[in-house]
């Protein structure tokens, strides 16, 4: 029955026994550690355990720990967790109303708030639904009926343009922030210290989010709604274009949801919490996930022959000609990963910087220096060196998942396309033949320039 986002430890003062638990998806962070003296430790940040614990790990989402039993036990057991293929017919009205309910639930607040608006489908729907519901909510009496929205990017980036258009359309008070590639590079060490990972995609996306959170907090805002989770639930990443059948499509979405606490949830929480900002994610509402994951995955499959692009069932659910939520071209805008949408030169700049810091010899011998999750690119090597400086223990590096990835895929999904398996980059532009501004394919790898479609 537990709902919401939480990590907690409850102590029974009568017998000193305790329980610890984490929310269903892992929206908020929690770590568990063990000392040599037999003590058990809990913390929301890994750095709090590294000095006192011999071993520590990420506390699994949807689990509970009891001092009396001395082990983790899963309390969250939804039907989709078994990865069995569902068969419920798609009903756009049911899906739309479930999401509206999830957004409304997260408008319960007594602090100034807003919405992170990138101009992509997910954040735009969060903002559009929140803007409609705000006028009729109790919170409007305290903070006003005009929603505040926030966006960050390099000047001229795709996200800035799209976010401004959405904000004007739904009538929000929009705040546009800019950053430069150098400002992002200068913040990398601080970002890695706070987010506690060396995962390439997470660092790429966390840096602009970290910079934006600082500026949002300076405005007095303390809570934001964000659009994380939709791509995992609906198969929105561009590599899903290559899913061979509905069974593998559904199994991959299940794997992605189960791993959210290591990637997008980690980024969204830690990038914002570093500045005392709370991020809430409507797409990861338990009831909404159960409804969305019960739909026959045939409806989620990307079918160009039927005019269905990625996340078509979500787009269609909010495609209302009488009372539009969003402009049509925004509602059907191609998936753009946050680290790409802030400006394509952001990732290119990171790669150029890493190439100057890491020599060919360093990368060739990486397996001797980092035998666990060996970095395969200079960018990955560079992030790893920063991480190891702050978190040198084996337990720390084991909290970060590894394996090949294309456009944010799991290692299993890389097998869906032979060409993608030769292009191990998590950027959405690595989805060759799918992304409108994909990297240019070359024999044996990819070019470092962009092919404009």
């Amino acid at each position: 029955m537990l709902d919401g986002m939480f990590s907690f430890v409850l102590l029974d003062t009568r017998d000193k026994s305790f329980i610890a638990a984490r929310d269903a998806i892992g929206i908020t962070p929690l770590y568990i550690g063990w000392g040599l003296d037999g003590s058990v430790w809990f913390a929301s940040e890994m750095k709090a355990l590294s000095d006192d614990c011999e071993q520590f790990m990420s506390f699994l989402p949807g689990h509970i720990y009891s001092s009396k039993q001395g082990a983790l036990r899963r309390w969250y057991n939804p039907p989709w967790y078994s990865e069995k293929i569902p068969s419920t017919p798609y009903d756009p009205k049911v899906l739309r109303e479930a999401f509206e309910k999830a957004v409304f639930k997260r408008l319960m607040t007594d602090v100034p708030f807003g919405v992170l608006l990138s101009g992509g489908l997910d954040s735009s729907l969060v903002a559009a639904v929140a803007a409609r519901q705000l006028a009729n909510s109790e919170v409007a009496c305290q903070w006003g009926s005009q929603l505040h929205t926030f966006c960050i990017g390099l000047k001229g980036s795709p996200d800035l343009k799209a976010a401004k258009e959405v904000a004007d359309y739904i009538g929000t008070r929009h705040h546009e922030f800019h950053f430069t590639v150098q400002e992002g590079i200068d913040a990398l060490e601080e970002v890695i210290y706070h987010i506690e990972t060396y995962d390439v995609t997470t660092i790429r996306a966390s840096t602009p989010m970290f910079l934006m959170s600082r500026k949002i907090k300076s405005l007095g805002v303390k809570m934001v709604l964000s659009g994380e989770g939709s791509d995992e639930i609906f198969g929105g990443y561009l590599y899903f274009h290559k899913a061979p059948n509905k069974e593998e499509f559904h199994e991959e979405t299940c794997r992605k949801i189960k791993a959210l606490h290591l990637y997008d949830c980690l980024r969204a929480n830690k990038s914002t919490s570093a500045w005392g900002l709370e991020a809430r994610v409507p797409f990861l509402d338990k009831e909404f996930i159960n409804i969305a994951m019960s739909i026959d995955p045939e409806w989620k499959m990307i079918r160009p022959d039927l005019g269905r692009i990625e996340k078509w069932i979500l787009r269609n659910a909010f495609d209302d000609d009488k009372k539009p939520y969003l402009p049509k071209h925004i509602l059907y805008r191609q998936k753009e990963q946050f680290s790409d949408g802030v400006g394509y030169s952001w990732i290119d700049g990171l790669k150029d910087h890493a190439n100057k810091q890491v020599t060919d010899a360093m990368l060739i011998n990486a397996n001797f220096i980092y035998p666990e999750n060996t970095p395969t690119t200079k960018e990955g090597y560079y992030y790893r060196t920063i991480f190891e400086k702050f978190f040198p223990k084996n337990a720390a590096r084991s909290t970060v998942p590894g394996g090949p990835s294309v456009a944010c895929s799991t290692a299993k999904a890389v097998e869906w396309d032979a060409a993608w398996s030769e292009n191990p980059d998590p950027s959405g532009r690595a989805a060759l033949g799918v992304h409108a501004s994909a990297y240019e394919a070359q024999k044996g790898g990819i070019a470092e320039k962009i092919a404009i479609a």
Side-chain angles (χ1 to χ4, degrees):
M1 296 300 292
L2 290 174
D3 198 2
M5 42 188 272
F6 58 83
S7 298
F8 66 78
V9 178
L10 290 179
L11 173 67
D12 189 331
T13 56
R14 295 170 298 179
D15 59 3
K16 302 301 182 183
S17 64
F18 61 87
I19 61 171
R22 190 176 183 185
D23 68 65
I25 305 299
I27 299 169
T28 61
L30 185 64
Y31 294 87
I32 180 173
W34 296 268
L36 289 174
D37 60 355
S39 57
V40 183
W41 298 62
F42 301 91
S44 59
E45 291 187 290
M46 184 170 63
K47 60 180 70 69
L49 303 179
S50 58
D51 290 338
D52 297 292
C53 297
E54 188 66 18
Q55 290 292 336
F56 49 87
M57 57 177 275
S58 177
F59 194 105
L60 295 175
H63 279 67
I64 187 170
Y65 178 93
S66 169
S67 61
K68 293 181 178 180
Q69 297 175 346
L72 287 167
R73 175 177 58 84
R74 184 153 56 90
W75 64 263
Y76 179 55
N77 295 284
W80 61 266
Y81 205 90
S82 67
E83 301 183 11
K84 182 180 179 181
I85 311 303
S87 58
T88 303
Y90 166 54
D91 186 329
K93 183 174 183 290
V94 170
L95 188 65
R96 182 178 67 250
E97 290 179 349
F99 182 66
E100 290 175 332
K101 182 179 177 181
V103 173
F104 185 72
K105 183 191 299 184
R106 283 153 185 81
L107 289 178
M108 294 186 292
T109 181
D110 57 0
V111 298
F113 70 97
V115 176
L116 303 184
L117 176 60
S118 69
L121 173 67
D122 306 328
S123 65
S124 296
L125 284 179
V126 172
V129 172
R132 285 192 181 189
Q133 295 185 348
L134 183 59
N136 301 318
S137 66
E138 293 182 7
V139 74
C141 300
Q142 186 174 6
W143 304 113
S145 59
Q146 187 176 32
L147 186 68
H148 288 257
T149 50
F150 309 94
C151 184
I152 191 169
L154 305 176
K155 287 188 176 180
S157 70
D159 277 2
L160 291 181
K161 179 181 178 182
K164 179 65 166 60
E165 184 175 357
V166 172
D168 289 343
Y169 187 84
I170 63 178
T172 69
R173 184 173 179 182
H174 191 56
H175 307 262
E176 183 177 288
F177 306 121
H178 302 126
F179 78 106
T180 65
V181 172
Q182 189 58 52
E183 286 174 335
I185 290 172
D186 291 342
L188 282 175
E189 288 206 9
E190 194 175 2
V191 168
I192 293 172
Y193 175 77
H194 281 289
I195 66 173
E196 303 179 317
T197 185
Y198 51 84
D199 176 69
V200 171
T201 302
T202 305
I203 294 170
R204 287 175 176 178
S206 292
T207 304
M209 196 169 191
F210 177 84
L211 296 173
M212 176 170 58
S213 296
R214 177 173 58 186
K215 295 180 179 182
I216 292 173
K217 184 60 184 297
S218 70
L219 297 175
V221 173
K222 295 184 178 181
M223 185 274 283
V224 290
L225 303 184
S226 192
E228 278 76 18
S230 172
D231 291 311
E232 287 74 16
I233 295 169
F234 297 105
Y237 293 108
L238 296 183
Y239 74 88
F240 275 95
H241 280 251
K242 298 293 184 176
N245 51 61
K246 73 176 186 179
E247 289 79 14
E248 290 197 45
F249 190 107
H250 179 72
E251 290 167 359
E252 176 71 358
T253 59
C254 293
R255 288 192 293 265
K256 291 291 289 182
I257 296 173
K258 293 174 184 178
L260 268 168
H261 68 291
L262 300 172
Y263 298 104
D264 286 36
C265 285
L266 179 148
R267 166 182 56 78
N269 180 278
K270 293 186 176 182
S271 297
T272 54
S273 293
W275 299 103
L277 189 64
E278 175 192 356
R280 298 181 182 179
V281 282
F283 280 108
L284 296 182
D285 179 81
K286 277 173 55 182
E287 183 178 350
F288 178 75
I289 293 176
N290 287 340
I291 290 173
M293 292 301 290
S294 69
I295 298 172
D296 186 336
E298 183 65 38
W299 287 96
K300 297 181 181 179
M301 291 284 287
I302 299 164
R303 295 285 303 276
D305 57 318
L306 298 177
R308 296 180 189 172
I309 64 172
E310 64 276 357
K311 294 186 287 192
W312 176 83
I313 65 170
L314 179 63
R315 302 174 195 269
N316 180 67
F318 285 90
D319 194 347
D320 187 341
D321 290 330
K322 295 181 179 179
K323 194 177 180 182
Y325 286 81
L326 296 167
K328 283 276 189 182
H329 65 282
I330 296 292
L331 190 61
Y332 289 92
R333 182 187 176 196
Q334 185 181 58
K335 164 65 185 173
E336 194 77 87
Q337 289 171 206
F338 183 56
S339 53
D340 288 319
V342 296
Y344 295 151
S345 58
W346 167 233
I347 292 179
D348 297 335
L350 287 173
K351 290 181 177 180
D352 290 342
H353 179 70
N355 287 338
K356 296 173 184 176
Q357 306 300 316
V358 180
T359 66
D360 292 341
M362 292 166 70
L363 188 60
I364 289 172
N365 294 308
N367 61 311
F368 298 107
I369 306 300
Y370 304 119
E372 183 178 354
N373 282 350
T374 305
T376 57
T377 66
K378 290 184 177 181
E379 185 185 6
Y381 192 107
Y382 178 59
Y383 299 154
R384 185 67 173 271
T385 60
I386 298 173
F387 178 89
E388 295 279 344
K389 180 169 65 174
F390 294 126
F391 310 104
K393 285 193 172 181
N394 286 330
R397 62 182 68 102
S398 296
T399 63
V400 182
S405 176
V406 171
C408 284
S409 74
T410 65
K412 177 66 177 176
V414 173
E415 302 171 4
W416 290 349
D417 190 288
W420 288 7
S421 65
E422 298 175 1
N423 176 28
D425 192 289
S427 166
R429 289 184 292 155
L432 304 179
V434 177
H435 196 289
S437 296
Y439 292 122
E440 183 178 310
Q442 284 187 339
K443 186 178 180 180
I446 57 175
E448 288 303 319
K449 64 180 180 178
I450 303 172
I452 304 299

